[in-house]
Amino acid sequence: MLVEFGGTKVLCAASVQDSVPRWRRGSGQGWITAEYAMLPRATNTRNDRESVRGKIGGRTHEISRLIGRSLRACVDYKTLGENSIVIDCDVLQADGGTRTAAITGAYVALVDAVAWMRKRKMCGGDPLVDSVAAVSVGVVGSTALLDLCYTEDVAAETDMNVVMTGSGAFVEVQGTAEGKPFDRAALDELLDLGAAGCAELTRLQREALA
Amino acid sequence: MLVEFGGTKVLCAASVQDSVPRWRRGSGQGWITAEYAMLPRATNTRNDRESVRGKIGGRTHEISRLIGRSLRACVDYKTLGENSIVIDCDVLQADGGTRTAAITGAYVALVDAVAWMRKRKMCGGDPLVDSVAAVSVGVVGSTALLDLCYTEDVAAETDMNVVMTGSGAFVEVQGTAEGKPFDRAALDELLDLGAAGCAELTRLQREALA
Amino acid sequence: MLVEFGGTKVLCAASVQDSVPRWRRGSGQGWITAEYAMLPRATNTRNDRESVRGKIGGRTHEISRLIGRSLRACVDYKTLGENSIVIDCDVLQADGGTRTAAITGAYVALVDAVAWMRKRKMCGGDPLVDSVAAVSVGVVGSTALLDLCYTEDVAAETDMNVVMTGSGAFVEVQGTAEGKPFDRAALDELLDLGAAGCAELTRLQREALA
Amino acid sequence: MLVEFGGTKVLCAASVQDSVPRWRRGSGQGWITAEYAMLPRATNTRNDRESVRGKIGGRTHEISRLIGRSLRACVDYKTLGENSIVIDCDVLQADGGTRTAAITGAYVALVDAVAWMRKRKMCGGDPLVDSVAAVSVGVVGSTALLDLCYTEDVAAETDMNVVMTGSGAFVEVQGTAEGKPFDRAALDELLDLGAAGCAELTRLQREALA
Amino acid sequence: MLVEFGGTKVLCAASVQDSVPRWRRGSGQGWITAEYAMLPRATNTRNDRESVRGKIGGRTHEISRLIGRSLRACVDYKTLGENSIVIDCDVLQADGGTRTAAITGAYVALVDAVAWMRKRKMCGGDPLVDSVAAVSVGVVGSTALLDLCYTEDVAAETDMNVVMTGSGAFVEVQGTAEGKPFDRAALDELLDLGAAGCAELTRLQREALA
Amino acid sequence: MLVEFGGTKVLCAASVQDSVPRWRRGSGQGWITAEYAMLPRATNTRNDRESVRGKIGGRTHEISRLIGRSLRACVDYKTLGENSIVIDCDVLQADGGTRTAAITGAYVALVDAVAWMRKRKMCGGDPLVDSVAAVSVGVVGSTALLDLCYTEDVAAETDMNVVMTGSGAFVEVQGTAEGKPFDRAALDELLDLGAAGCAELTRLQREALA
């Protein structure tokens, strides 16, 4: 499925395997993992391909891990059984917030994959115990903004990614001072804004899946 | 730009750089290169990412080189000046003939890039001396077929890729016996079919660019 | 210098170079970067060396980037001039909180490096505009704990790293639900605890440097 | 065995393994693969070793795949049984046409390997259903030439590799316009010349094996 | 354990595994291997990490192999059973003679590991048939010196590493002319000095283990 | 040039470059380096290519370094000027003693390269101040043997490589106890035998070059 958040377009695809990584075998439990990548021309100036450079960069690693962790928060491994789901998130066009768009879209792809598995009786019941959505928030100038585009992202003094469940709990909070360090009041304002954004995205996910 | 050939979808993007590879510096001549890749879920079963494996496979290398060679056949390096154009061809969905779709789409992206350069006076005149299109042909059973889809491709006894200029000359001919070796008559029939296919694609490229 | 946080021992060393990365040249500004690594027997069971595997894992990348970002928050690049400081953080023994111990120790190594540079008149004034310290906090059972050791870390439902300046502002906040997602109240409690922990570490850094 | 085509010298060695690649196991069928490489001083100016660069270049990959495909065209996998033959083609000295010399020599090494296997009763009958030879042809100036040496190869406007069975059918045809694109008449002339060349090589292979 | 030889500090740690490399399985015999590495700031000027460069350098490989070979000289594989011991030697600070310090310390770590295994009845009896120690000797000016520090090492015309058992036999002798080639008399003098040095180290090892 | 020592065949080729490695620039001095490799079928059972594995093994690294060091012992860098010579030693067939055969042959290739340079006035005078030859010696059973073939090498209890100048001084001595450690008397006997072997090889080198 293709997620679009403003100018950001991410292709999210889920693949099901009836096996789990070696360290998980025999546990009766499943696993969810994710891989994030950007096409070389997703951005305005071309980036070298990581396959050509022969190694994956730190940023790609970091985001892939974040997406995987976020999705795992809404899954019950036992119900999933010894199956794996790999979610590929490929950014076709980037205009800020690619990691949060990827998480939000990946959840929808995950729902599809789980439906496909249940039709084939691969898992006992519904392994999805909640939904997951994510949004980026930031302080530009002295204003807190939701879902920053690229130019806002570059200008942001503080940049925060908020990942929440559909039931309103936090899965991950990552706030970084890009410019000057931020105080507790700014942090609180960003958390409020992020929570509201995630609630709205949860609503949109439900519509898309209905 | 996105090229679609039946179920095959390839995203082609050209990037211009005002420099050339080291071995070309000081020659007053430009260079064209291409990189081909497939998203992990472009095919029906997921392929591992080459960036994760840490190296580019032989097939990817081979196709990237073919696309680059094909495009260079219609370019006058001197008029291009000491500039490079990199064409990225990323297969979003694969259903046979990805390399020929990539060449045909890459030419259109190349025309756009050249127009962009000429607006900025980066090259003296028009470096494009012809157009380029490509098609796959094959023998399935005992019938010669144009533009094979995946199931035909797997069944093909002979598989041929034909790259031709808009003026009707051959740039590259690659015929491979997948099953039993083929005779001269079959080869001739495939070349005829390929030539007709390329002529039709040339017409479509002109329409798309008009 | 060797930092010890309970059973965690990290060797932090700063290296000064009178040059900056290519993308920074001619800017008149400096750069700070960090590399984190763990000895194979820092943990209870041996981990393969990343040099032997031929690539750096995602976790290592992520932590190296976090340390670098954290240190850069207390540096004025212009006063630093076109010089770089690389901070190596090598974990000799790991018992939870290695990344926060590394940041706290790296700051002390950075102060030493800056003093060395100022003696040699390599920078105009003091490029350090604040200090930086970090601590891990988490919820184990239903109790919020400061500076988790390995067994607590494994048991934690929520794990948070808090990086703060000596003046009490946030540089980075990373909270992750390892088990069940957390609510705003838990998040607030962890932030309070983290802030208190960073304040105490700031005091200890001052003592160590006095 | 050492093949010499003019100034080109290629060492071809076949190695037999009583196993097949993972994807082939349990099929009752064998596999043939090839690896091509050039010594650093096979050419007039030294090339860096691919082992030192840490990766195999596109050209090497492409030629290894071509040799493997060509040899597989004359083998019956079922009669071969679940055994593999790896053919190593190492170019000691290069003066044009190394890939076609490698294919022609590799076939002879393959015959030896098969004889060795049959002596040990490793395969049911003779898995070789035909022979394979290859030659390079090209247009230099306006003359079609057989088996181009290096200086001719560089000057060639069109370069074609023709791989044929001993019974006169095509296994692979690869024609590339190095300079200006070629027309059907030139292509036909090159195919005729290539077919004649392969027939002569087939005769020489028979003599060598007699 | 941490070995110190003058300014050289090497952390040596042994890890026991109840398995052996694939080529050794089913032999009833064990295996000993070693990995040597230097922290980036072990030396006075920073060296790039081999994990970051993505490959292990020749010097590291060479020393790891030497340490492994040296330790294996004092082990009876049958008594060890199908178990492996990996010895990690990480140089925290380097001031000449790091490889000989690593061997000498690694033996002590090996004794500890064997004791640990015997307590758990992992091996039949004592697999250690002797002890091993190593020392560097060299000719600086025209004087033979024992255990060269870094500045002596750089100035040495001949550099020799001598590895001996506690019973006084040679395990490895490596002498290299760094400057002008050396004659037999110099070689004999260095061997005498090295033998005396190893005897002294053997005494110190016994004390440390007592 | 091709060196043959019994069943061992090594192709040695020297390549001259009119530049030196970066760390040597501006010194007015030259550099000699060597690369050793084995073809996959040089041995009786096939070894995987290091280019395919994507990294150079420890043994290859170690031998390449030994050959380079040995050759540098007979060269005056100043007379060589800021030029480099790379010696490639590729083992076509291995039957013991490949590294010593490589050194002995590499010296002859080096003499040729230097003659070629002097004809082109690339160096002031003769940069070769001596000759270099190498031989392997070993103890099999209780007998010291010169130039061990593969079956002797495997059976050897002690294996020693001796590299000497034509004037009879030692460049490198590497003795390793493969089986039981050796005493000083055995070491002395091996050194005598090695010295006699090197003297004979020096005579043969002179004949080959005459």
Side-chain angles (χ1 to χ4, degrees):
Chain A
M1 62 143 308
L2 186 70
V3 207
E4 305 197 17
F5 271 48
T8 290
K9 295 182 188 175
V10 186
L11 203 57
C12 298
S15 305
V16 175
Q17 294 172 323
D18 58 354
S19 63
V20 284
R22 184 187 304 264
W23 53 269
R24 195 86 172 172
R25 284 182 204 153
S27 67
Q29 305 195 356
W31 190 240
I32 310 280
T33 188
E35 291 187 6
Y36 167 96
M38 242 198 227
L39 292 196
R41 268 309 290 274
T43 44
N44 223 25
T45 53
R46 187 177 187 272
N47 294 300
D48 287 346
R49 285 174 194 273
E50 295 187 321
S51 58
V52 170
R53 286 203 310 242
K55 55 181 170 185
I56 288 191
R59 183 183 170 277
T60 297
H61 255 143
E62 198 172 305
I63 298 179
S64 294
R65 286 159 56 91
L66 170 63
I67 301 171
R69 269 199 318 269
S70 298
L71 296 175
R72 290 194 289 270
C74 66
V75 173
D76 176 59
Y77 296 137
K78 285 201 182 136
T79 314
L80 185 58
E82 282 207 18
N83 300 295
S84 300
I85 303 175
V86 185
I87 314 274
D88 286 292
C89 301
D90 287 272
V91 181
L92 305 188
Q93 198 176 300
D95 185 23
T98 62
R99 76 188 71 187
T100 48
I103 291 168
T104 305
Y107 169 72
V108 179
L110 179 61
V111 171
D112 281 350
V114 163
W116 185 91
M117 290 172 79
R118 296 192 66 186
K119 233 183 277 172
R120 273 154 199 77
K121 313 274 184 214
M122 289 179 71
C123 42
D126 188 354
L128 294 173
V129 297
D130 206 330
S131 70
V132 161
V135 80
S136 69
V137 285
V139 178
V140 180
S142 55
T143 319
L145 291 181
L146 184 67
D147 192 19
L148 282 64
C149 72
Y150 179 70
T151 48
E152 289 164 347
D153 196 18
V154 165
E157 298 205 336
T158 302
D159 186 20
M160 178 175 278
N161 294 298
V162 178
V163 186
M164 295 183 80
T165 59
S167 58
F170 292 94
V171 172
E172 184 112 12
V173 170
Q174 292 192 341
T176 303
E178 303 285 346
K180 74 172 203 300
F182 50 94
D183 61 17
R184 184 66 178 268
L187 176 53
D188 285 339
E189 191 181 353
L190 289 172
L191 287 168
D192 290 342
L193 195 60
C198 286
E200 173 63 10
L201 289 170
T202 297
R203 204 182 54 73
L204 291 171
Q205 286 174 327
R206 277 181 199 147
E207 276 180 28
L209 289 165
Chain B
M1 61 145 308
L2 185 71
V3 208
E4 305 198 17
F5 272 48
T8 290
K9 295 182 190 174
V10 187
L11 202 57
C12 300
S15 304
V16 175
Q17 294 171 320
D18 58 355
S19 62
V20 285
R22 184 188 304 263
W23 53 269
R24 194 87 172 172
R25 282 181 204 154
S27 67
Q29 303 195 358
W31 190 240
I32 309 281
T33 189
E35 291 186 6
Y36 167 97
M38 242 197 229
L39 291 196
R41 267 309 289 275
T43 46
N44 224 25
T45 52
R46 187 176 187 274
N47 294 300
D48 287 346
R49 283 173 198 272
E50 296 187 318
S51 58
V52 170
R53 287 203 310 242
K55 56 182 169 183
I56 288 190
R59 183 182 170 277
T60 297
H61 255 142
E62 199 171 305
I63 300 180
S64 293
R65 284 159 55 91
L66 170 64
I67 301 171
R69 270 200 318 270
S70 298
L71 295 175
R72 290 194 289 270
C74 66
V75 173
D76 176 60
Y77 295 137
K78 284 201 183 136
T79 312
L80 185 58
E82 282 206 18
N83 301 297
S84 301
I85 303 175
V86 186
I87 314 275
D88 288 291
C89 300
D90 287 274
V91 181
L92 304 189
Q93 197 176 300
D95 185 23
T98 61
R99 75 187 73 186
T100 47
I103 292 168
T104 306
Y107 169 72
V108 179
L110 180 61
V111 171
D112 282 350
V114 163
W116 185 91
M117 290 172 80
R118 294 191 68 187
K119 231 182 278 171
R120 272 153 200 77
K121 313 273 185 213
M122 288 179 73
C123 40
D126 189 354
L128 295 173
V129 296
D130 207 329
S131 69
V132 162
V135 81
S136 69
V137 286
V139 178
V140 179
S142 56
T143 318
L145 290 181
L146 185 68
D147 192 17
L148 283 64
C149 72
Y150 178 71
T151 50
E152 289 164 347
D153 195 18
V154 164
E157 298 205 337
T158 303
D159 187 20
M160 179 174 278
N161 295 298
V162 178
V163 186
M164 296 184 80
T165 60
S167 58
F170 293 95
V171 171
E172 185 112 10
V173 170
Q174 291 193 342
T176 303
E178 302 286 346
K180 75 171 199 309
F182 51 95
D183 61 17
R184 182 67 177 268
L187 176 52
D188 285 340
E189 191 181 351
L190 289 172
L191 288 169
D192 291 343
L193 197 61
C198 285
E200 173 63 11
L201 289 170
T202 297
R203 203 182 54 73
L204 292 170
Q205 285 174 328
R206 278 183 199 144
E207 276 181 27
L209 288 164
Chain C
M1 61 144 309
L2 186 70
V3 207
E4 305 198 17
F5 272 48
T8 290
K9 295 183 188 173
V10 187
L11 203 57
C12 300
S15 304
V16 176
Q17 295 170 322
D18 58 354
S19 62
V20 284
R22 185 188 304 263
W23 53 268
R24 195 84 172 174
R25 283 181 204 153
S27 67
Q29 304 195 356
W31 190 241
I32 309 281
T33 189
E35 291 186 5
Y36 167 96
M38 241 198 229
L39 291 196
R41 268 309 291 275
T43 45
N44 223 23
T45 53
R46 187 178 187 273
N47 295 299
D48 287 346
R49 284 174 197 272
E50 296 188 320
S51 58
V52 170
R53 285 203 311 243
K55 54 184 171 185
I56 288 190
R59 182 182 171 278
T60 298
H61 256 142
E62 199 171 304
I63 299 179
S64 294
R65 285 158 56 90
L66 171 63
I67 301 171
R69 268 198 320 269
S70 299
L71 296 175
R72 289 195 290 271
C74 67
V75 173
D76 175 59
Y77 297 137
K78 285 201 182 135
T79 313
L80 185 58
E82 283 206 16
N83 301 295
S84 301
I85 303 175
V86 186
I87 314 275
D88 287 291
C89 300
D90 286 273
V91 181
L92 305 188
Q93 199 176 299
D95 185 23
T98 61
R99 76 188 70 187
T100 46
I103 292 167
T104 307
Y107 169 73
V108 179
L110 180 61
V111 171
D112 281 350
V114 163
W116 186 91
M117 289 172 81
R118 294 191 68 186
K119 231 183 276 170
R120 274 154 199 78
K121 313 273 184 213
M122 287 178 73
C123 39
D126 188 354
L128 295 172
V129 297
D130 207 329
S131 69
V132 161
V135 81
S136 68
V137 286
V139 178
V140 180
S142 55
T143 319
L145 290 181
L146 185 66
D147 192 16
L148 283 63
C149 72
Y150 178 70
T151 49
E152 290 164 348
D153 195 17
V154 164
E157 299 205 335
T158 302
D159 188 20
M160 179 174 278
N161 295 298
V162 178
V163 186
M164 295 183 81
T165 60
S167 58
F170 292 94
V171 171
E172 184 113 8
V173 170
Q174 292 192 340
T176 303
E178 302 286 347
K180 74 172 202 302
F182 51 95
D183 61 17
R184 182 67 178 267
L187 177 51
D188 284 339
E189 191 181 352
L190 289 172
L191 288 169
D192 290 343
L193 197 59
C198 285
E200 174 62 11
L201 289 170
T202 296
R203 203 183 54 73
L204 292 170
Q205 286 174 328
R206 278 184 198 143
E207 276 181 26
L209 289 164
Chain D
M1 61 144 309
L2 185 70
V3 208
E4 304 199 16
F5 273 48
T8 290
K9 296 183 188 173
V10 186
L11 203 58
C12 299
S15 305
V16 175
Q17 294 171 323
D18 59 356
S19 63
V20 283
R22 184 187 303 263
W23 53 270
R24 195 86 172 172
R25 283 181 204 155
S27 68
Q29 305 195 356
W31 190 242
I32 310 280
T33 190
E35 290 187 7
Y36 167 97
M38 243 198 227
L39 292 196
R41 268 307 291 274
T43 45
N44 223 25
T45 52
R46 187 176 188 273
N47 294 300
D48 286 346
R49 284 173 196 272
E50 295 187 321
S51 57
V52 171
R53 286 202 310 241
K55 56 182 170 186
I56 288 191
R59 183 182 171 276
T60 297
H61 255 144
E62 197 172 307
I63 299 180
S64 294
R65 285 158 56 89
L66 170 64
I67 300 171
R69 269 198 319 270
S70 299
L71 295 174
R72 289 194 290 271
C74 67
V75 173
D76 176 59
Y77 296 136
K78 285 201 182 136
T79 312
L80 185 59
E82 282 208 17
N83 300 296
S84 300
I85 304 176
V86 185
I87 315 274
D88 286 292
C89 300
D90 286 273
V91 181
L92 304 187
Q93 198 176 300
D95 186 22
T98 61
R99 76 187 73 186
T100 47
I103 292 168
T104 306
Y107 169 72
V108 179
L110 179 61
V111 171
D112 282 350
V114 164
W116 186 91
M117 290 172 79
R118 295 192 67 187
K119 232 182 277 172
R120 272 153 198 79
K121 313 273 185 215
M122 288 179 73
C123 39
D126 189 352
L128 294 173
V129 297
D130 207 331
S131 69
V132 161
V135 80
S136 68
V137 285
V139 178
V140 180
S142 55
T143 319
L145 291 181
L146 185 67
D147 192 18
L148 283 65
C149 72
Y150 178 70
T151 48
E152 289 163 349
D153 197 18
V154 164
E157 298 204 337
T158 303
D159 187 19
M160 178 174 277
N161 295 298
V162 178
V163 186
M164 296 183 80
T165 60
S167 59
F170 293 94
V171 171
E172 184 113 9
V173 171
Q174 292 192 343
T176 303
E178 303 285 347
K180 75 171 201 300
F182 50 95
D183 61 16
R184 182 67 177 268
L187 176 53
D188 285 339
E189 190 181 352
L190 288 172
L191 287 169
D192 290 342
L193 196 60
C198 285
E200 173 62 11
L201 288 170
T202 297
R203 204 182 53 73
L204 292 170
Q205 285 174 329
R206 278 182 200 145
E207 276 181 26
L209 289 165
Chain E
M1 63 143 308
L2 185 71
V3 207
E4 306 198 16
F5 272 48
T8 290
K9 295 183 188 173
V10 187
L11 203 58
C12 299
S15 305
V16 175
Q17 295 170 322
D18 59 353
S19 63
V20 283
R22 184 187 304 264
W23 54 269
R24 195 86 174 173
R25 285 182 203 154
S27 67
Q29 303 194 356
W31 189 242
I32 309 281
T33 189
E35 291 186 7
Y36 167 96
M38 240 198 228
L39 292 196
R41 269 307 292 274
T43 45
N44 224 24
T45 53
R46 188 177 186 271
N47 294 300
D48 286 346
R49 284 173 196 272
E50 296 187 320
S51 58
V52 171
R53 285 202 311 242
K55 54 183 173 186
I56 288 190
R59 183 181 170 277
T60 297
H61 256 143
E62 199 171 305
I63 299 178
S64 294
R65 286 158 56 89
L66 170 64
I67 300 171
R69 269 199 319 270
S70 299
L71 295 175
R72 289 194 290 271
C74 67
V75 173
D76 176 58
Y77 296 136
K78 285 200 184 135
T79 312
L80 185 58
E82 282 207 17
N83 301 297
S84 301
I85 304 175
V86 185
I87 314 274
D88 287 291
C89 301
D90 287 273
V91 180
L92 304 188
Q93 197 176 299
D95 186 23
T98 62
R99 75 188 71 188
T100 48
I103 292 168
T104 306
Y107 169 73
V108 179
L110 180 61
V111 171
D112 281 350
V114 163
W116 186 91
M117 290 171 78
R118 294 191 69 186
K119 232 183 278 172
R120 274 152 198 77
K121 313 272 185 215
M122 288 179 72
C123 41
D126 189 354
L128 295 173
V129 297
D130 206 330
S131 69
V132 161
V135 81
S136 69
V137 285
V139 178
V140 180
S142 55
T143 319
L145 291 181
L146 185 67
D147 191 19
L148 283 63
C149 71
Y150 177 70
T151 49
E152 288 164 350
D153 196 17
V154 165
E157 298 205 337
T158 302
D159 187 20
M160 179 174 277
N161 294 299
V162 178
V163 186
M164 296 183 79
T165 60
S167 59
F170 292 95
V171 172
E172 184 112 9
V173 170
Q174 292 192 340
T176 302
E178 303 285 345
K180 76 173 200 309
F182 50 95
D183 62 16
R184 183 66 178 267
L187 176 52
D188 284 340
E189 190 181 352
L190 289 172
L191 288 169
D192 290 343
L193 196 59
C198 285
E200 173 63 10
L201 288 170
T202 297
R203 203 182 54 74
L204 291 171
Q205 285 175 328
R206 278 183 199 144
E207 277 182 25
L209 288 164
Chain F
M1 63 144 308
L2 185 71
V3 207
E4 305 198 17
F5 272 48
T8 290
K9 295 182 188 174
V10 187
L11 202 58
C12 299
S15 305
V16 176
Q17 294 171 321
D18 58 355
S19 62
V20 284
R22 185 188 304 262
W23 53 268
R24 195 85 171 174
R25 283 182 204 154
S27 68
Q29 303 196 359
W31 190 242
I32 309 280
T33 188
E35 290 186 7
Y36 167 96
M38 244 200 225
L39 291 196
R41 267 308 291 276
T43 45
N44 224 24
T45 52
R46 186 176 189 274
N47 294 300
D48 287 345
R49 284 174 196 271
E50 296 187 320
S51 58
V52 170
R53 286 202 311 241
K55 54 183 172 185
I56 288 190
R59 183 183 171 277
T60 298
H61 256 144
E62 199 171 305
I63 300 180
S64 293
R65 285 158 55 90
L66 170 63
I67 301 171
R69 268 198 320 269
S70 298
L71 295 175
R72 288 194 290 271
C74 67
V75 172
D76 176 59
Y77 296 136
K78 285 202 181 135
T79 312
L80 184 58
E82 282 207 18
N83 300 297
S84 300
I85 303 176
V86 185
I87 314 276
D88 287 291
C89 301
D90 287 274
V91 181
L92 304 188
Q93 199 177 297
D95 186 23
T98 62
R99 75 187 72 187
T100 47
I103 292 168
T104 306
Y107 169 72
V108 178
L110 179 61
V111 171
D112 281 350
V114 163
W116 184 92
M117 289 172 79
R118 295 191 67 186
K119 232 183 276 170
R120 273 153 198 79
K121 313 274 185 212
M122 288 178 73
C123 41
D126 189 354
L128 295 173
V129 297
D130 207 329
S131 69
V132 161
V135 80
S136 68
V137 286
V139 178
V140 181
S142 57
T143 319
L145 290 181
L146 185 67
D147 191 18
L148 282 65
C149 71
Y150 178 71
T151 49
E152 290 164 347
D153 195 17
V154 165
E157 298 205 338
T158 302
D159 187 20
M160 179 175 278
N161 294 299
V162 178
V163 186
M164 295 184 80
T165 59
S167 58
F170 292 94
V171 171
E172 184 111 10
V173 170
Q174 292 192 340
T176 303
E178 303 285 346
K180 75 171 203 297
F182 52 94
D183 62 15
R184 183 66 179 267
L187 177 52
D188 284 340
E189 191 181 352
L190 289 172
L191 287 169
D192 289 343
L193 196 59
C198 285
E200 173 62 10
L201 288 170
T202 297
R203 203 184 52 72
L204 291 170
Q205 284 174 328
R206 277 181 200 147
E207 276 180 27
L209 288 165

